[in-house]
Amino acid sequence: MVNKIEVDLNALTHNVAIIKKHIYPETKIIGVVKANAYGHGLVETARVIWTSGVDILATATLEEAIALRVSRIKAPILVLGYVEPSEFWKAIDFDITLTIFDFESAYKLAREAKKQNRWARIDVAVDTGMNRYGFPTYEVLDIFQKIYKLEHLKIEGIHSHFADPEDKEFSRNQIKQMQNVLFSFQQMKIPIPMVHMAATKAIFLHPEAQFDAVRPGIGLYGYSGIEGNSELKPALELKSQIVALRRVGKDETVGYQRTYVAKGPRKIAVIPLGYADGYPRALSNKASVLVNGTRAKIAGIVSMNAIMVDVTGIKCSLNDEVVLIGGQGNGMVNADELAKLAQSNVCEILSRLPREIPREYHFK
């Protein structure tokens, strides 16, 4: 195989330990493995994260959750995204907790559970400023009272999501809104289920928002998104090979639209991986890869299934390993570097890596 992804399972275990270090001993960890575990591979990654001390696994879709169950992962599983009511029976059958953000869905789920003579598990989403999923805070008390009256529903949790944890004032307001909701529950003597709000950044920036559980995603994979935080270890490396070498003369061009013009005689290596393989076209003429431990800059526009890199002055041959994300020798190219160059974020860089690229798992 020319293109491959290597995942360091020890790094995943290390990252769980670091997150545990930053939370209270009684605080649970909900490990987010959505989007194919941020490109790392759903089942293999989820299994290691769970056995490393994560209490609950979270996915974006019911399909991901069922894939974990089929793979005999017995951890509690929460689906954070939307699920079609026609699929509710599957969630009940596989004992999967669903996020609820409208009463009609809660009613339909309760009806399906009653039909099966089973209990359905739910986690209620509260909108404190993200304006995505969740009940408005002024509706939550009334909604909870209605949901508690439905038969065959068990409320496992209540959660919200930060819009921008680095915006301290806005985040404090979100925390206050959540606290007000919980206070209203206490006043009405409504049982409060597991409360969770903080994802990776908020774990480090807002310890007061840990509540009963935290919900790290990208932090599990080695990135905090916080400048200067180096405790976490990136777990994924993306690798390929040199499959062709070209000699290019002065003023010759490379790639589509001829955006790279050689300033002198250059040696160009061709790598069989492009934007269809998850390597952003926005990195054209910007990013670097590692060839024998040395940085080599992309020459020209990233093609669908190939990139060209300038390896002038680098000793290299056909079939030599190329590292697009990860380390080689003394060199390092991390996903956060690529994210900045692509004006994106690490989550997008990693989660867009397609399932078709083979994954190899190692305890390094």
Side-chain angles (χ1 to χ4, degrees):
M1 77 195 88
V2 178
N3 300 325
K4 65 178 179 179
I5 289 169
E6 293 184 4
V7 179
D8 179 1
L9 301 178
N10 277 334
L12 297 175
T13 300
H14 167 84
N15 295 334
V16 172
I18 292 298
I19 289 167
K20 279 181 172 289
K21 190 178 83 171
H22 283 272
I23 62 178
Y24 302 112
E26 66 275 12
T27 303
K28 292 183 177 181
I29 298 177
I30 303 170
V32 182
V33 293
K34 63 183 179 180
N36 198 29
Y38 290 68
H40 291 63
L42 176 64
V43 173
E44 296 85 352
T45 301
R47 184 174 284 116
V48 171
I49 287 172
W50 179 40
T51 56
S52 297
V54 161
D55 301 282
I56 300 166
L57 296 173
T59 67
T61 68
L62 182 60
E63 289 76 18
E64 291 171 324
I66 291 173
L68 295 177
R69 281 284 183 260
V70 170
S71 299
R72 299 183 179 180
I73 292 176
K74 298 179 180 179
I77 301 174
L78 166 64
V79 175
L80 295 168
Y82 174 75
V83 175
E84 287 277 357
S86 61
E87 304 284 284
F88 283 168
W89 68 272
K90 294 181 183 178
I92 297 168
D93 196 43
F94 284 98
D95 193 25
I96 293 165
T97 304
L98 298 184
T99 294
I100 293 295
F101 38 84
D102 67 87
F103 182 75
E104 184 180 358
S105 293
Y107 176 78
K108 289 180 179 178
L109 181 60
R111 190 171 60 185
E112 180 62 36
K114 185 175 182 180
K115 178 181 172 183
Q116 295 189 31
N117 195 27
R118 303 270 299 275
W119 284 85
R121 303 175 189 271
I122 65 171
D123 199 300
V124 177
V126 178
D127 180 18
T128 58
M130 183 78 167
N131 285 315
R132 188 173 63 179
Y133 296 130
F135 293 101
T137 53
Y138 59 83
E139 288 184 2
V140 175
L141 179 61
D142 181 53
I143 290 294
F144 247 74
Q145 290 173 320
K146 289 180 179 178
I147 289 176
Y148 266 120
K149 292 177 182 178
L150 295 174
E151 296 179 347
H152 294 271
L153 280 190
K154 183 178 181 182
I155 302 177
E156 299 269 300
I158 179 172
H159 72 268
S160 191
H161 195 65
F162 284 101
D164 181 4
E166 293 185 272
D167 186 330
K168 292 183 179 180
E169 184 177 351
F170 192 84
S171 296
R172 284 195 207 100
N173 182 260
Q174 285 192 270
I175 295 168
K176 186 176 180 180
Q177 287 188 61
M178 193 65 167
Q179 290 171 334
N180 288 341
V181 167
L182 301 177
F183 181 66
S184 69
F185 283 16
Q186 290 176 329
Q187 286 183 311
M188 298 300 293
K189 295 183 171 23
I190 295 175
I192 300 175
M194 177 182 67
V195 182
H196 51 108
M197 187 170 182
T200 296
K201 274 190 182 180
I203 291 171
F204 295 99
L205 297 177
H206 300 284
E208 71 276 22
Q210 289 183 14
F211 294 109
D212 300 312
V214 293
R215 207 173 52 241
I218 195 63
L220 294 171
Y221 310 101
Y223 297 91
S224 70
I226 301 169
E227 203 70 39
N229 186 320
S230 58
E231 291 183 277
L232 302 172
K233 293 182 180 178
L236 180 147
E237 293 189 324
L238 175 62
K239 298 181 176 181
S240 188
Q241 294 178 11
I242 295 174
V243 295
L245 287 165
R246 289 278 184 273
R247 292 288 179 179
V248 174
K250 185 178 183 298
D251 294 330
E252 286 193 76
T253 60
V254 176
Y256 287 118
Q257 281 85 59
R258 305 173 64 232
T259 60
Y260 177 90
V261 181
K263 295 180 180 179
R266 314 304 290 172
K267 182 167 70 169
I268 302 296
V270 181
I271 318 300
L273 184 146
Y275 59 79
D277 307 295
Y279 197 79
R281 197 170 184 267
L283 296 177
S284 301
N285 291 303
K286 294 178 182 177
S288 296
V289 303
L290 296 173
V291 178
N292 291 326
T294 303
R295 282 179 170 256
K297 193 171 181 180
I298 293 175
I301 289 177
V302 173
S303 303
M304 182 177 288
N305 297 107
I307 59 173
M308 286 71 77
V309 297
D310 187 343
V311 292
T312 306
I314 301 174
K315 187 178 179 181
C316 59
S317 306
L318 291 177
N319 303 318
D320 279 0
E321 179 185 81
V322 176
V323 175
L324 297 95
I325 300 175
Q328 187 187 62
N330 295 322
M332 177 65 69
V333 177
N334 276 335
D336 51 4
E337 175 186 334
L338 301 187
K340 290 173 184 176
L341 291 172
Q343 295 185 316
S344 180
N345 63 23
V346 175
C347 299
E348 182 178 6
I349 296 295
L350 296 178
S351 64
R352 288 180 63 182
L353 295 172
R355 288 171 169 79
E356 289 77 15
I357 299 179
R359 268 80 171 162
E360 295 180 0
Y361 299 90
H362 309 283
F363 284 100
K364 293 185 179 180

